Amino acid sequence: MSAALTLMDKLWDAHEVLCREDGTSLLWVDRHLVHEGSHHAFAKLAARNMNVAEPELTFGVVDHYAPTRAGDVAPDIRRMIKTLGDNARDAGIRLFDLHDPEQGIVHVIGPEQGLTLPGLLINCGDSHTSTHGAFGALAFGVGATEVAHILAVQTVWQKRPKKMRITFDGVLGAGVTAKDMALHWIAALGADGAQGFAVEYAGDAVRALSMEGRMTLCNLSIEGGARMGMVAPDDVTFAYLRGRSFGPPDADWNDAIADWRKLHSDVDAVFDREVRIDASTIAPTVTWGTSPEDALPISGHVPHADDAENIQATLEYMGLDAGMALSSIAVDQVFIGSCTNGRIEDLRMAAKVLEGRRAVVPGLVSPGSAKVKKQAEDEGLALVFMQAGLEWAGAGCSMCVGMNGDLVEPGKRCASSTNRNFKGRQGRGARTHLMSPAMVAAAAVTGHLTDVRPLLEGRL
Amino acid sequence: MSGWQTLTGSAVALPHSNIDTDQLIPARFMSQPRGAGYGSFLLHDLRGAQEGHLLDQYRPKVLVAGRNFGSGSSREAAVYALVDYGIKAVFAPSFGDIFAGNAVNNGLLAAQIDDGVLAMLIATMADTAGGAYVDLTTGCARIAGHDIGFDLDPVRRQKLINGWDDIDLTAQYSEEIKTFRAARFAAHPWALPTT
Ligand code: SF4
């Protein structure tokens, strides 16, 4: 009898070209996604006079520096976008350029275009590549040297990670989302809690999530230290993928599904660590500090100095007092978008809160892709945002990282649907509170961090 | 990249956990080509906020820091900033997985120590520098008068010592890769993107 395998092991074995004596595997890469930040890797390749080995498996996306608002574009930003364009053209890589109707954040358009499929190994020079694991893919972020390596030889050297399964039993409460599930486990295990592990998410509450929700969950794996997160594919996955541009043609569809149905952890598979969480106990969750692990239910209070190390410096940076109620924290602005929560379902949820209401603070909404943008406009969501007084912007990474100039000013406090509350992440001196898009919308209409659930009554 | 076996210099301690790559190099500097040198971007906003920061006083080769160093963004620029500044080794209880991989690809040692050792080093060095000697071959270091052992994956140790370049290393397997590719797409045609 063959040994019971985890999903991660099945995916790994299917991509292992060879395993060196020292235990390092050479893995075949099915999809390689590059963006403006990949300029270092292209420069490395050029310095060696090498070509891109598999341009047809490589796709370029303008996202990090994509301008999302009308107006002048800084020369630096223009140069970054042009450099990617030049590199993509020279290498014969399909580029989702700035004005392409399919453009968007790499982790949004990969799935949207059917570039992301169950059973694939997907790499990108970006830590949130873990997102694509939501489809039952082996997907992880790599650094520039590794990007250059993949460009050159379409493979990557990796050590097999340990395996962790996080099982969410039960049912999520109304108004509680995948974002809250993620912040919840990261707070429980720590921002390095899953370092060295690949995380598989399982359980009824995960099965009940849409693909958008599963992507949010897998996206945030890296914030808990895991380089990859994954969910076994099922009918929800297949329904999402049917008919996507780059996905399997009809002739191959049944074979693909037959392969994909094998992608799950066997009943007796052994994980190095098992974590169980009762989803019904999860409340809308927000961060108060400068690490995603600094997350608490909205009913909580800013911790006291003896609760954690460095807390004083964190509170100083965040401009908060120990012991204050999280719901008393007033915000200066809000942001909805990013590869974590910039998809159509996220915008729908935020719009449910905002419909017929006015934001009392300014805010920016940047859809995750041009397609999401169009869909939101067609569904009337864009109108809801604008009528609430929020700015409806173009697609890109935008205020998640501010590379395109969408910055939070020093000292300003932003309720944000993004993934990192690091010092300076949204701009020098910016103060970020992470939460779900619905919670961001609630902060927008009340002007402070607040429990979204009462605002959603009768609207779900 | 050339390898190294031992280093001698000074060390300073940054007694913070979660020093992420956004702090190591803020995003706004990342559009620069590498040739420009990334050293001046290292911990830019932290150093800028503090006149005469420890780093600038001592220009150490060794950093000691709290857990989860280099977490967050995969930006290899964080390692470039450290290396270009002159840092060759970081000692911390844990590192971001991607950062640790990037480090070894640029000759930077990311050495794991336990919490007790970290606390001892922070207490000894406080706001000043200590002497540092690191030996990759033995996995031993002497920092601020303390002899400490550190954990390092043997593969990474070899790579640091030899200064290997993976692309050259992989080239010898080009036949295996070709065979693998052909077999993979023959068995799973759906895995090729439709164009
Ligand atoms: S949206 Fe933010 S986290 Fe996602 S890829 Fe862009 S910058 Fe990175």
Side-chain angles (χ1 to χ4, degrees):
Chain A
M1 200 189 83
S2 63
L5 295 174
T6 64
L7 170 59
M8 204 287 297
D9 286 315
K10 288 181 185 180
L11 292 168
W12 194 277
D13 294 345
H15 290 89
E16 191 173 66
V17 178
L18 57 94
C19 184
R20 251 175 10 208
E21 250 172 47
D22 60 27
T24 315
S25 306
L26 185 66
L27 301 175
W28 170 258
V29 179
D30 293 308
R31 297 283 184 279
H32 187 203
L33 310 173
V34 297
H35 55 85
E36 307 95 305
S38 309
H39 67 100
H40 289 296
F42 281 105
K44 280 174 197 279
L45 212 63
R48 307 173 68 111
N49 267 318
M50 291 185 82
N51 293 322
V52 175
E54 299 274 359
E56 276 164 20
L57 303 180
T58 312
F59 294 83
V61 186
V62 172
D63 57 4
H64 284 73
Y65 289 84
T68 55
R69 296 146 129 172
D72 288 343
V73 178
D76 248 27
I77 292 171
R78 213 173 310 133
R79 180 172 47 79
M80 287 298 282
I81 295 172
K82 181 176 182 299
T83 303
L84 175 65
D86 292 347
N87 283 325
R89 191 195 53 235
D90 293 350
I93 295 170
R94 163 76 161 93
L95 174 69
F96 297 89
D97 211 346
L98 195 53
H99 300 293
D100 193 313
E102 322 275 282
Q103 175 266 348
I105 306 171
V106 62
H107 311 309
V108 176
I109 71 163
E112 208 172 69
Q113 295 296 322
L115 290 166
T116 304
L117 299 173
L120 297 186
L121 191 153
I122 302 168
N123 281 145
C124 173
D126 190 280
S127 59
H128 291 100
T129 307
S130 59
T131 311
H132 308 259
F135 290 80
L138 194 65
F140 52 95
V142 292
T145 302
E146 287 167 316
V147 171
H149 186 274
I150 299 164
L151 287 173
V153 285
Q154 201 61 27
T155 50
V156 64
W157 289 102
Q158 285 292 305
K159 270 215 152 159
R160 195 182 288 247
K162 289 180 287 180
K163 288 146 293 191
M164 182 188 300
R165 178 160 57 190
I166 305 182
T167 306
F168 289 93
D169 297 308
V171 181
L172 277 182
V176 185
T177 67
K179 181 66 159 284
D180 303 297
M181 293 164 79
L183 291 175
H184 181 91
W185 84 254
I186 295 165
L189 268 62
D192 54 357
Q195 245 161 36
F197 288 91
V199 174
E200 179 177 346
Y201 300 97
D204 290 346
V206 173
R207 284 282 146 240
L209 290 174
S210 64
M211 286 319 297
E212 283 84 354
R214 294 178 193 183
M215 284 189 255
T216 301
L217 192 56
C218 289
N219 173 280
L220 290 161
S221 304
I222 185 74
E223 308 312 330
R227 204 165 176 175
M228 49 190 108
M230 58 193 74
V231 175
D234 57 14
D235 289 335
V236 176
T237 321
F238 309 148
Y240 176 100
L241 287 171
R242 191 80 212 238
R244 301 270 166 187
S245 305
F246 291 86
D250 286 345
D252 290 337
W253 184 253
N254 287 336
D255 288 345
I257 298 248
D259 277 349
W260 297 346
R261 287 209 190 276
K262 297 175 200 149
L263 298 172
H264 55 80
S265 289
D266 296 331
V267 180
D268 297 327
V270 178
F271 289 79
D272 299 283
R273 185 168 178 195
E274 294 261 19
V275 176
R276 288 201 99 94
I277 295 169
D278 177 357
S280 67
T281 64
I282 300 174
T285 302
V286 297
T287 65
W288 53 268
T290 55
S291 162
E293 72 188 13
D294 301 334
L296 286 170
I298 181 65
S299 58
H301 295 76
V302 175
H304 283 279
D306 53 352
D307 293 354
E309 56 163 333
N310 305 331
I311 195 168
Q312 209 42 52
T314 302
L315 293 186
E316 239 163 72
Y317 180 87
M318 291 300 293
L320 298 173
D321 296 323
M324 70 192 286
L326 295 175
S327 59
S328 70
I329 298 173
V331 300
D332 298 303
Q333 63 195 95
V334 302
F335 175 68
I336 296 174
S338 88
C339 63
T340 306
N341 281 126
R343 299 186 180 81
I344 191 68
E345 188 181 90
D346 301 313
L347 300 184
R348 285 186 192 135
M349 191 74 172
K352 278 206 173 99
V353 179
L354 289 165
E355 187 148 30
R357 295 185 172 127
R358 289 283 303 173
V360 298
V361 293
L364 185 68
V365 185
S366 172
S369 72
K371 277 182 82 144
V372 170
K373 183 174 190 200
K374 171 144 196 326
Q375 192 177 350
E377 286 167 356
D378 292 347
E379 290 183 17
L381 308 178
L383 198 65
V384 172
F385 292 122
M386 289 187 278
Q387 282 175 344
L390 300 180
E391 186 182 349
W392 178 245
C397 294
S398 184
M399 205 173 271
C400 173
V401 70
M403 287 180 179
N404 72 337
D406 292 346
L407 290 162
V408 175
E409 296 288 315
K412 294 286 186 207
R413 187 181 305 284
C414 184
S416 185
S417 75
T418 55
N419 41 57
R420 287 185 172 139
N421 50 354
F422 298 162
K423 287 177 187 161
R425 169 74 177 187
Q426 292 189 295
R428 190 171 185 172
R431 294 163 170 165
T432 305
H433 295 271
L434 304 176
M435 62 198 77
S436 73
M439 286 288 284
V440 173
V445 297
T446 61
H448 56 87
L449 306 188
T450 194
D451 192 334
V452 68
R453 288 175 292 190
L455 292 166
L456 276 169
E457 248 161 59
R459 295 180 174 223
L460 283 176
Chain B
M1 191 182 63
S2 54
W4 60 277
Q5 289 191 10
T6 61
L7 76 81
T8 309
S10 62
V12 303
L14 300 175
H16 302 291
S17 53
N18 297 320
I19 297 181
D20 53 71
T21 54
D22 274 84
Q23 290 182 67
L24 287 170
I25 178 168
R28 63 186 183 277
F29 300 119
M30 285 169 48
S31 58
Q32 299 306 309
R34 176 70 190 280
Y38 270 49
S40 64
F41 308 142
L42 177 66
L43 290 164
H44 182 278
D45 295 351
L46 185 78
R47 285 197 290 135
Q50 220 176 302
E51 191 67 28
H53 190 273
L54 265 186
L55 280 174
D56 298 321
Q57 281 180 51
Y58 298 105
R59 303 290 300 199
K61 282 191 185 154
V62 173
L63 267 189
V64 176
R67 72 175 177 94
N68 207 20
F69 187 90
S71 49
S73 159
S74 62
R75 57 186 74 168
E76 197 161 301
V79 174
Y80 303 160
L82 286 159
V83 169
D84 290 359
Y85 195 82
I87 290 170
K88 294 200 69 100
V90 183
F91 289 74
S94 63
F95 294 91
D97 282 345
I98 304 177
F99 174 88
N102 292 342
V104 75
N105 283 331
N106 290 277
L108 176 72
L109 167 66
Q112 212 176 348
I113 52 175
D114 53 52
D115 293 321
V117 172
L118 172 69
M120 180 177 77
L121 292 175
I122 288 174
T124 308
M125 290 197 278
D127 285 338
T128 175
Y133 175 77
V134 181
D135 190 335
L136 282 178
T137 56
T138 59
C140 292
R142 189 171 175 80
I143 300 177
H146 298 286
D147 287 315
I148 56 173
F150 57 87
D151 280 336
L152 177 66
D153 175 287
V155 179
R156 293 192 165 158
R157 181 200 312 275
Q158 273 317 308
K159 220 171 128 172
L160 284 172
I161 291 174
N162 298 329
W164 277 331
D165 178 305
D166 279 344
I167 296 180
D168 291 338
L169 206 72
T170 312
Q172 60 180 305
Y173 301 116
S174 59
E175 273 313 306
E176 283 91 336
I177 295 171
K178 232 164 100 186
T179 310
F180 186 95
R181 181 199 199 279
R184 171 146 182 83
F185 291 132
H188 311 288
W190 56 261
L192 273 170
T194 310
T195 36

